Amino acid sequence: MSFLPNLCTVKGICILDNDGKRVVSKYYDSNDDTFATVKDQKAFESKVFKSTEKSSSEIVAINNYTVVFRSNVDLFFYVIGDSNENELMLLSVLNALYESVSMILRKNVEKRTVFDQMDSILLICDEVVDRGIILESDPNNIVNRVHVKTEDIPLSEQTVTQVFQSAKESLKVEFVAITSAQHVYNMW
């Protein structure tokens, strides 16, 4: 039996909390019945979590899929591929994902901070894998693309979060300037 080469090496990326609940998930094979509906996806995630929550290895085989994973304080990071997929490729995707998230969150990779920075986390997933094809595995390149300075982006192309963040920063600068000016005035 020979396998035809295929660029689509990743079936899905998941981040689950320590209760096995979905935090982030992206599936790339819509033709696969395992990932056809949200209900099917959650059932698969539950099976994956039960198989890995107490496991000491980084790789498990579940239902004809190879799953590589990494756990942190209260999160589990998963990359899912076919059973015949190269585990080292999947592991490089997992490491790129985890390290990029860690860099964006300043090494504070916890459920709360992931929710606070959900837009950046989703962008990281998109920078690492697109439609199952691995695009980038260098965390520094991924973070540089995700963390573009909002001053460089026209206002019409910024997300709502970026606009609010820019406004917040501007208000901080104004407030500090006004407070400093009042302090100097009071000294006279």
Side-chain angles (χ1 to χ4, degrees), residues 103-156:
M103 290 167 76
I104 290 286
L105 300 178
R106 294 179 178 90
K107 307 276 186 218
N108 188 21
V109 183
E110 294 177 357
K111 183 178 175 181
R112 180 185 49 79
T113 56
V114 166
F115 278 125
D116 290 343
Q117 294 290 322
M118 185 61 76
D119 55 342
S120 295
I121 304 304
L122 292 172
L123 283 172
I124 288 171
C125 292
D126 291 342
E127 287 293 330
V128 175
V129 176
D130 183 29
R131 289 181 268 164
I133 300 170
I134 301 169
L135 298 178
E136 182 66 67
S137 61
D138 182 10
N140 291 319
N141 289 344
I142 296 165
V143 169
N144 286 338
R145 286 192 201 134
V146 169
H147 235 230
V148 175
K149 295 185 184 207
T150 54
E151 297 87 37
D152 299 340
I153 303 173
L155 188 61
S156 62

Side-chain angles (χ1 to χ4, degrees), residues 149-180:
K149 295 185 184 207
T150 54
E151 297 87 37
D152 299 340
I153 303 173
L155 188 61
S156 62
E157 294 180 17
Q158 292 184 20
T159 65
V160 173
T161 306
Q162 290 171 327
V163 170
F164 281 127
Q165 188 66 29
S166 296
K168 184 177 168 183
E169 292 298 321
S170 296
L171 287 174
K172 274 185 193 177
V173 169
E174 289 294 322
F175 181 73
V176 168
I178 291 171
T179 306
S180 297

Side-chain angles (χ1 to χ4, degrees), residues 15 17 25 39 44-45 58 61 141 172:
I15 302 175
D17 67 9
S25 69
K39 182 179 178 183
F44 180 76
E45 290 166 7
E58 296 177 325
N141 289 344
K172 274 185 193 177

